[in-house]
Amino acid sequence: MWDPAQYLAFADHRARPFYELVARVGAESPRRVVDVGCGPGNLTVSLSSRWPSAVVEAFDSSSEMVEAARAAGVDARVDDVTTWEPLPDTDVVVSNAVLQWVASHPSIVEKWATTLPSGAWLAFQVPGNHSDASHRLIREVAGPSLAHVFRAEKPVLDPVEYAELLAGCSSVDAWETTYVQRLSGPDPVLEWVTGTALRPVRAALSSSDWESYVAELAPRLREAYPQRTDGTTWFPFRRIFVVAQV
């Protein structure tokens, strides 16, 4: 289950990659713009501002996120990335930090590129921090008994691999950026991953086991990401971006 409030606790940090992704999309007057995995809808609304004449389609697999998006004024619905297909008038598809949850996403992205009309834009970004201390410690503390809840050790491709995947498009731009985020609070990295990477762990544990898990994980994260004397913490976060015109 997704918690929109927990996810939005770091709304500014999560929004920056979205805006930098969409800024590379060169569509001028698209007919239909789709937000694949719209989350709580706080970023979807900017698509309507960018392309006011377009029909903005938004969906997410989480009913909690869709409810939050609708409350924000977004006409969102529950749908599945693995089965969704773009309508013939879809000129822009945007996916922000969603595809890393879908093991088959490379083939899905490839299919979208062949289904979209000529000249359409496909833009997505995924976290590339799967080998960082935060995620490594999450798996270590979970141990073998929870190994089944995690995605593959490399749930996303590298920029060159995505570029090769979409090499048949008329243009493809793939790059990566490491954001050095300045977080605040006593356990800011724990708070960050609780809203995303720790969701499968939380879902698999009872309340008491979850409390025990967090009690073991928190000090390890504090050691890996030490707090500065001013009370803030540096949290490097790598993200991978792809923008292609078909």
Side-chain angles (χ1 to χ4, degrees):
M1 178 182 294
W2 280 95
D3 182 347
Q6 181 73 46
Y7 185 82
L8 288 170
F10 297 96
D12 290 345
H13 290 298
R14 299 194 196 280
R16 182 179 171 187
F18 175 88
Y19 291 123
E20 294 183 2
L21 174 72
V22 174
R24 299 283 188 102
V25 177
E28 294 182 0
S29 301
R31 295 165 294 175
R32 179 179 297 271
V33 176
V34 184
D35 189 355
V36 174
C38 63
N42 58 308
L43 300 176
T44 312
V45 294
S46 69
L47 299 177
S48 296
S49 299
R50 166 81 183 271
W51 294 293
S53 63
V55 173
V56 175
E57 177 184 342
F59 69 88
D60 199 283
S61 62
S62 164
S63 58
E64 293 82 12
M65 287 295 198
V66 167
E67 183 178 349
R70 288 175 177 169
V74 176
D75 184 17
R77 69 177 190 278
V78 175
D79 207 338
D80 187 341
V81 171
T82 62
T83 57
W84 174 80
E85 295 183 359
L87 292 173
D89 65 345
T90 302
D91 292 325
V92 177
V93 174
V94 176
S95 181
N96 184 60
V98 172
L99 296 178
Q100 73 276 9
W101 296 103
V102 183
S104 61
H105 79 264
S107 61
I108 293 172
V109 166
E110 206 170 14
K111 181 182 178 182
W112 290 347
T114 60
T115 305
L116 289 167
S118 178
W121 293 81
L122 172 59
F124 61 91
Q125 71 88 6
V126 290
N129 62 335
H130 43 272
S131 62
D132 288 355
S134 55
H135 287 53
R136 186 178 68 252
L137 291 171
I138 286 172
R139 293 191 294 267
E140 287 180 3
V141 174
S145 63
L146 287 175
H148 64 282
V149 308
F150 297 107
R151 295 164 285 163
E153 285 197 21
K154 188 184 176 185
V156 301
L157 305 182
D158 289 329
V160 172
E161 294 172 311
Y162 281 122
E164 181 61 30
L165 184 72
L166 297 172
C169 294
S170 62
S171 69
V172 59
D173 185 13
W175 73 99
E176 64 179 77
T177 300
T178 297
Y179 298 91
V180 181
Q181 300 173 163
R182 195 171 198 165
L183 306 182
S184 59
D187 284 301
V189 176
L190 175 63
E191 289 297 314
W192 177 282
V193 297
T194 296
T196 52
L198 279 178
R199 285 179 49 252
V201 178
R202 179 64 186 92
L205 297 176
S206 66
S207 295
S208 60
D209 287 342
W210 168 249
E211 291 177 6
S212 299
Y213 176 85
V214 170
E216 184 176 351
L217 178 62
R220 296 195 186 191
L221 288 174
R222 286 195 293 270
E223 181 179 2
Y225 302 94
Q227 189 178 70
R228 303 175 67 250
T229 55
D230 67 355
T232 62
T233 301
W234 296 122
F235 182 44
F237 200 116
R238 175 179 176 245
R239 292 190 182 261
I240 298 165
F241 300 77
V242 183
V243 176
Q245 186 175 23
V246 305

